[in-house]
Amino acid sequence: MKQADLIIRNGTILTMDASLSIYPEHDLIISDGRICAIEPHGKHEWQAPQSLDAQHCILMPGMINTHSHLPMSWFRGLADDLPLDIWLNQYIWPLEARLLSKSFIYDATLFGAGEMLKSGITMTNDMYFEMSAIADACIKAGLRAMISEAVIEAKMGADYRPAELVLKYKERYQDQPLVDFSLAPHSIYTCSAEMLKRCAQAATTHDLLIHIHLSETRAEVDNCLKEHGKRPVHYLNELGLLDARCIFAHGVHVDSGEMDVLNRKPVSISICTDSNLKLASGLAPIKEYLDHGINLSLGTDSVASNNDLDLLAELSTTAKLHKALNNDPAFLPALEALKLVTINAAKALGVDDKRGSLEVGKDADFLIIDTQDLNSMPLYEPASQLVYATNSRQIRDVFVAGKQVVKNQRLVNLDEAELMHSASRYAEMILKELSK
Amino acid sequence: MKQADLIIRNGTILTMDASLSIYPEHDLIISDGRICAIEPHGKHEWQAPQSLDAQHCILMPGMINTHSHLPMSWFRGLADDLPLDIWLNQYIWPLEARLLSKSFIYDATLFGAGEMLKSGITMTNDMYFEMSAIADACIKAGLRAMISEAVIEAKMGADYRPAELVLKYKERYQDQPLVDFSLAPHSIYTCSAEMLKRCAQAATTHDLLIHIHLSETRAEVDNCLKEHGKRPVHYLNELGLLDARCIFAHGVHVDSGEMDVLNRKPVSISICTDSNLKLASGLAPIKEYLDHGINLSLGTDSVASNNDLDLLAELSTTAKLHKALNNDPAFLPALEALKLVTINAAKALGVDDKRGSLEVGKDADFLIIDTQDLNSMPLYEPASQLVYATNSRQIRDVFVAGKQVVKNQRLVNLDEAELMHSASRYAEMILKELSK
């Protein structure tokens, strides 16, 4: 017998590997936090001190969220159904200015990380402030995160050296495999050309990932045309930013000429369907991106504009919506759609050698999804059932690096009652602040 | 003390009454299957042998689904991501032709009714075949239903008298308050002008509700223009059908001239967002309908094209999608959106005097939704939280006519293990049939 740490028995394994293989009645075998074998159930020589039954369950890679703002948990549902400028200028920005602190950010991140894990997100690409508070909370929760500090020039000053902090944290947390850090010039409208250039150079020099908002609203594009005489992608290209590895969040208003530039660069677009719908930002041209061979993944954005972190529900909406927009019910079939939250997202973050699919040698980041539920029956096609009919609450167990972080829809590393208590406490503080 | 049957204690009551009142920390008091009082918690003189704690819960009217095909449960996920004609001609229609029987329909309806109740649907407007099998299953499950037999002329014959069966069933089930029956000419493309006229006359004579598919696809409108020289609404108006009370399912491709006719008639449109997206039928013009003062409600369509019966998730998608389509984040705010699954739906079915809101004298059809969950916190605005952030699994308890039909997300009247066994058995039969 060969020795492993953990065996997940008799599940249907949706690998998301290059051939999108699906293995029914297989065992997932885990050692040292990695997948060491995938074998037909009961027909192998592996043994392990721990095992878990996954009959009638689908196993899939942990979902990877490519655009989030974890510390915004307490702003969920605070001021919905308002025009964007009122929402930002009268609620979000003043509150952030008055309330943000390390502990606010740590507590809100802890809550958000718990919510993400329960929805089957095992890694997120986050942008906010106070990277160490975010990193510490993610480590405590057991959530992988690529963390960045939003560079907003009005806040940081024109002399800000964006790479220093990133490099410092990369070193400080080098023994913490759950977290890594990237560079986040917030957007073209909050950073000068000079600052964007500085970010591009730092990213290229130190091989840092860049995380930036791009063309979320039509106004952003119009202003760029007015100020710089070109559309945002061309503007960023001129500044050298597209030569770095980039994740562009939103990418709602990008035209075909811009896509012709993007498809020759090491960049990805993080589609944020629910946020774009709810804030009326628009409908991202997913088919056109795919036709241009551009890597696409999905991001939740924050709960202030979404209003949840239910990436599976968002995938369902995305897949269905773009069939209608393209008059084609066969567009973006379920198994292809699942790439947006798995392997494509891993590619976007440069971790597809380690994550994004269930393959031997990769990190044991995976979900066990219970299909014994009315809305998942009958079960003809696992991928189709996952995308079109599964409720995220059926994500029974979640593992990150072979360690269980969600067990029967309960968090393993965090106390949910404490998180909820924390939410109530901060909500009170926010309401008090608003009434001033 | 005044005597009632049941008191739901200390919830936040989202009434959906004419002023859309919301009462925090109130008791809902029920007697003889009806709401007899809504009072501040602990500050009234009612007592009851049964009571249920609803602290940290939202109470809202049971949701009303205005377009469904309950007996299609076993076709869920059978043939997704295919062009419409292949899906219909190679899968759904041949299977229906070969497999449908009273027991098939009864079993599938029982399953679908269970699924609806668990998702918070307490009444549905259904169209299929074998009305008595559907009625019996709904009664057993405890689901209210307006049931109709799809009149398809090729199947029934040109001499078919559409009202006879409806009147017969209305009489046979007159002591069963959960079910009622309506008239369902399937569509303009499956019924001749003569048959549609006959339906219109029967509906007017006997005050029957008409349930019909309308302008689901562009092709349907184009064919109508070609064959009848006018668009579907004008064609139906000419046949007298709009003088009856009508629910038009889908209404995706309806223009402003048609809306000018609809808004003077006793008709409603049942929007079917998820089905229309997934089958790429198009995007219904919700804003234009509302601007024309036309009553709108929401329908799930069947699980073969949706693929679930999660009306709350569908409402969330609908509300967000139409903000984006109208470039207005303030369009269709949460509380307005909730009308689509409550009071507007009751109006569509002509039962708004009895259901669709929580008011004294109305039927005690309601949901208890647990907000003690990460994705529902903090809780600033109940309606916003329900529409944008609540998972349907948080619908803890469901009552129909004062009787509990779902308790802690488990069905009261049906055995879920049996339903799932039934699903597996029928799936096997269907796969066998397909392999022939």
Side-chain angles (χ1 to χ4, degrees):
Chain A
M1 297 298 272
K2 289 182 278 186
Q3 192 62 37
D5 296 335
L6 169 67
I7 299 180
I8 311 295
R9 284 184 283 107
N10 204 13
T12 293
I13 303 182
L14 199 90
T15 62
M16 300 311 293
D17 65 12
S19 2
L20 301 176
S21 320
I22 299 175
Y23 302 120
E25 296 174 29
H26 268 58
D27 290 356
L28 186 75
I29 302 150
I30 291 137
S31 195
D32 289 328
R34 294 211 174 77
I35 297 165
C36 60
I38 297 175
E39 300 283 351
H41 176 56
K43 294 180 184 153
H44 57 78
E45 308 229 301
W46 291 91
Q47 60 179 18
Q50 268 199 300
S51 85
L52 197 60
D53 182 53
Q55 208 194 350
H56 303 303
C57 291
I58 296 173
L59 273 66
M60 69 170 274
M63 289 189 280
I64 299 174
N65 181 359
T66 49
H67 183 59
S68 68
H69 306 289
L70 272 168
M72 294 183 79
S73 299
W74 315 138
F75 300 138
R76 183 205 320 270
L78 179 64
D80 288 327
D81 301 324
L82 290 175
L84 193 63
D85 57 330
I86 295 183
W87 179 71
L88 278 175
N89 291 309
Q90 292 184 22
Y91 291 87
I92 302 302
W93 287 343
L95 284 170
E96 284 185 341
R98 271 141 47 189
L99 295 176
L100 288 191
S101 67
K102 275 201 178 186
S103 60
F104 182 106
I105 288 173
Y106 177 85
D107 291 339
T109 301
L110 208 59
F111 186 98
E115 190 182 349
M116 281 199 191
L117 289 170
K118 289 184 77 168
S119 333
I121 295 167
T122 53
M123 178 172 190
T124 194
N125 181 41
D126 207 75
M127 183 201 292
Y128 208 65
F129 312 107
E130 301 291 355
M131 289 192 279
S132 65
I134 298 174
D136 294 343
C138 288
I139 291 167
K140 181 166 166 64
L143 175 73
R144 293 190 194 272
M146 179 70 83
I147 300 162
S148 59
E149 180 100 1
V151 176
I152 293 176
E153 205 162 326
K155 190 178 161 185
M156 270 79 165
D159 293 333
Y160 184 72
R161 317 303 304 174
E164 279 174 21
L165 210 58
V166 181
L167 295 172
K168 185 177 108 181
Y169 283 125
K170 271 179 107 69
E171 200 186 321
R172 186 194 292 178
Y173 287 89
Q174 63 184 329
D175 297 329
Q176 296 288 352
L178 291 183
V179 297
D180 197 357
F181 300 86
S182 70
L183 198 55
H186 172 273
S187 62
I188 60 167
Y189 53 91
T190 51
C191 291
S192 66
E194 184 47 42
M195 182 65 80
L196 290 167
K197 240 189 247 177
R198 206 180 295 155
C199 288
Q201 281 160 1
T204 318
T205 308
H206 303 288
D207 190 29
L208 300 174
L209 178 75
I210 285 187
H211 182 190
I212 181 171
H213 294 93
L214 174 79
S215 302
E216 178 176 1
T217 65
R218 195 174 299 277
E220 184 184 334
V221 178
D222 290 345
N223 287 339
C224 184
L225 279 164
K226 216 165 82 183
E227 282 177 38
H228 308 291
K230 46 180 78 74
R231 295 179 67 90
V233 168
H234 301 306
Y235 172 59
L236 289 172
N237 193 25
E238 196 180 65
L239 300 174
L241 200 113
L242 299 192
D243 297 318
R245 294 182 293 121
C246 293
I247 294 189
F248 292 115
H250 301 288
V252 178
H253 303 280
V254 173
D255 74 9
S256 144
E258 291 176 285
M259 292 187 198
D260 286 335
V261 174
L262 291 174
N263 72 4
R264 295 192 303 267
K265 302 290 185 176
V267 304
S268 292
I269 306 283
S270 177
I271 303 290
C272 300
T273 305
D274 275 358
S275 168
N276 296 159
L277 294 180
K278 182 158 174 289
L279 298 178
S281 308
L283 305 154
I286 287 192
K287 181 169 189 306
E288 292 72 13
Y289 281 128
L290 292 177
D291 287 348
H292 278 81
I294 294 162
N295 187 52
L296 292 188
S297 58
L298 214 55
T300 55
D301 209 353
S302 86
V303 295
S305 59
N306 185 312
N307 291 355
D308 57 29
L309 299 170
D310 191 339
L311 201 58
L312 192 63
E314 188 141 351
L315 182 66
S316 183
T317 303
T318 305
K320 288 181 287 198
L321 173 58
H322 289 269
K323 293 178 198 303
L325 294 176
N326 293 292
N327 297 312
D328 179 6
F331 176 69
L332 202 59
L335 203 48
E336 285 295 317
L338 281 164
K339 288 182 182 173
L340 270 58
V341 294
T342 56
I343 190 68
N344 285 15
K347 274 181 199 155
L349 288 164
V351 296
D352 50 315
D353 56 330
K354 292 184 285 204
R355 278 158 234 151
S357 61
L358 300 181
E359 295 179 78
V360 171
K362 283 200 170 183
D363 288 336
D365 292 12
F366 62 94
L367 318 178
I368 303 179
I369 300 164
D370 186 3
T371 66
Q372 287 292 91
D373 229 312
L374 297 192
N375 56 298
S376 290
M377 299 200 80
L379 201 167
Y380 297 107
E381 295 287 343
S384 164
Q385 217 70 328
L386 280 182
V387 175
Y388 303 125
T390 301
N391 187 300
S392 60
R393 295 292 168 100
Q394 292 170 249
I395 300 172
R396 189 187 79 185
D397 303 306
V398 180
F399 287 77
V400 173
K403 292 207 183 85
Q404 190 155 16
V405 289
V406 174
K407 188 174 181 170
N408 290 323
Q409 261 296 304
R410 302 296 295 174
L411 293 170
V412 172
N413 300 331
L414 304 178
D415 179 330
E416 292 186 32
E418 236 169 64
L419 294 177
M420 291 196 274
H421 179 70
S422 182
S424 303
R425 201 160 47 83
Y426 278 101
E428 257 176 59
M429 184 201 291
I430 286 169
L431 290 176
K432 207 165 143 189
E433 192 63 37
L434 280 176
S435 70
K436 272 183 190 166
Chain B
M1 298 298 273
K2 291 183 275 187
Q3 192 64 34
D5 296 335
L6 169 67
I7 300 181
I8 311 294
R9 283 184 284 108
N10 203 12
T12 294
I13 303 181
L14 198 89
T15 63
M16 301 310 293
D17 66 11
S19 1
L20 301 176
S21 320
I22 299 175
Y23 302 121
E25 295 173 29
H26 267 59
D27 291 355
L28 186 76
I29 302 149
I30 291 137
S31 196
D32 290 327
R34 293 210 175 79
I35 298 165
C36 60
I38 297 175
E39 300 283 353
H41 175 57
K43 294 179 184 153
H44 57 78
E45 306 230 303
W46 291 92
Q47 60 180 18
Q50 267 197 302
S51 85
L52 197 61
D53 181 55
Q55 206 195 353
H56 304 303
C57 292
I58 296 172
L59 272 64
M60 69 170 274
M63 289 189 280
I64 299 174
N65 182 359
T66 48
H67 183 59
S68 68
H69 307 289
L70 272 169
M72 294 184 79
S73 300
W74 316 138
F75 300 138
R76 183 207 317 271
L78 179 65
D80 288 328
D81 301 324
L82 290 174
L84 193 64
D85 57 329
I86 295 184
W87 179 70
L88 279 174
N89 291 307
Q90 293 184 22
Y91 291 89
I92 301 302
W93 286 344
L95 284 170
E96 285 186 340
R98 272 140 45 189
L99 296 177
L100 288 192
S101 66
K102 276 201 176 184
S103 60
F104 182 106
I105 288 171
Y106 177 86
D107 291 339
T109 302
L110 209 58
F111 186 98
E115 191 182 348
M116 280 198 192
L117 289 171
K118 289 184 75 169
S119 333
I121 295 167
T122 53
M123 177 173 191
T124 195
N125 180 40
D126 206 75
M127 183 202 292
Y128 207 66
F129 312 107
E130 301 291 355
M131 290 192 279
S132 66
I134 298 173
D136 294 343
C138 288
I139 292 167
K140 182 165 165 64
L143 175 73
R144 292 190 195 272
M146 178 70 84
I147 299 163
S148 59
E149 180 100 2
V151 176
I152 293 176
E153 205 161 326
K155 191 180 161 182
M156 270 79 165
D159 293 333
Y160 184 73
R161 317 304 304 175
E164 278 174 22
L165 211 57
V166 181
L167 295 171
K168 184 177 107 181
Y169 284 125
K170 272 181 107 69
E171 201 187 322
R172 187 194 290 177
Y173 287 89
Q174 63 184 328
D175 298 329
Q176 297 288 352
L178 291 183
V179 296
D180 197 357
F181 301 87
S182 70
L183 198 55
H186 172 272
S187 61
I188 60 167
Y189 55 92
T190 51
C191 290
S192 65
E194 184 46 41
M195 183 64 81
L196 290 167
K197 241 190 248 176
R198 207 180 295 156
C199 288
Q201 281 160 0
T204 318
T205 308
H206 304 289
D207 190 28
L208 299 174
L209 178 75
I210 285 188
H211 181 190
I212 181 172
H213 294 94
L214 174 80
S215 301
E216 177 176 2
T217 64
R218 196 173 299 278
E220 184 183 334
V221 178
D222 290 346
N223 288 338
C224 184
L225 278 164
K226 215 165 83 185
E227 282 178 38
H228 307 292
K230 46 181 76 75
R231 296 179 65 92
V233 169
H234 301 305
Y235 172 60
L236 289 172
N237 193 25
E238 195 181 64
L239 299 175
L241 200 113
L242 301 193
D243 297 318
R245 295 182 293 123
C246 292
I247 294 189
F248 292 115
H250 301 287
V252 177
H253 304 280
V254 172
D255 74 10
S256 144
E258 291 177 286
M259 292 186 198
D260 285 336
V261 174
L262 291 174
N263 73 3
R264 296 191 303 268
K265 302 291 184 174
V267 305
S268 292
I269 305 283
S270 176
I271 303 290
C272 300
T273 305
D274 275 359
S275 168
N276 296 159
L277 293 181
K278 182 157 172 287
L279 299 178
S281 308
L283 305 155
I286 288 192
K287 181 171 188 307
E288 292 72 14
Y289 281 127
L290 293 176
D291 287 348
H292 278 82
I294 294 163
N295 187 51
L296 292 187
S297 58
L298 214 55
T300 55
D301 208 355
S302 85
V303 294
S305 59
N306 185 312
N307 293 355
D308 57 30
L309 299 170
D310 192 338
L311 201 58
L312 192 62
E314 189 140 352
L315 182 66
S316 182
T317 303
T318 305
K320 287 179 288 196
L321 173 59
H322 290 268
K323 293 178 197 302
L325 295 176
N326 294 292
N327 297 312
D328 179 6
F331 176 69
L332 201 59
L335 203 49
E336 284 295 316
L338 280 164
K339 288 183 183 172
L340 270 58
V341 295
T342 55
I343 190 67
N344 285 14
K347 274 182 199 153
L349 288 163
V351 296
D352 51 314
D353 56 330
K354 292 183 286 203
R355 280 158 233 152
S357 61
L358 301 181
E359 296 180 78
V360 172
K362 284 201 170 183
D363 288 335
D365 292 11
F366 62 94
L367 318 179
I368 304 180
I369 300 164
D370 185 3
T371 66
Q372 288 292 91
D373 229 312
L374 297 192
N375 55 297
S376 289
M377 299 201 78
L379 202 168
Y380 298 106
E381 294 288 344
S384 164
Q385 217 69 328
L386 279 182
V387 175
Y388 304 126
T390 302
N391 188 299
S392 60
R393 296 292 168 102
Q394 292 170 247
I395 300 171
R396 189 187 77 182
D397 303 306
V398 180
F399 286 77
V400 173
K403 291 207 182 86
Q404 190 156 15
V405 290
V406 173
K407 188 175 180 169
N408 289 324
Q409 260 296 303
R410 303 293 298 174
L411 293 169
V412 172
N413 300 332
L414 304 177
D415 178 330
E416 293 187 32
E418 236 169 63
L419 293 177
M420 291 197 272
H421 179 70
S422 181
S424 303
R425 202 161 46 84
Y426 278 101
E428 256 176 59
M429 184 202 289
I430 285 169
L431 289 176
K432 207 165 142 189
E433 193 63 38
L434 280 176
S435 69
K436 271 183 191 167

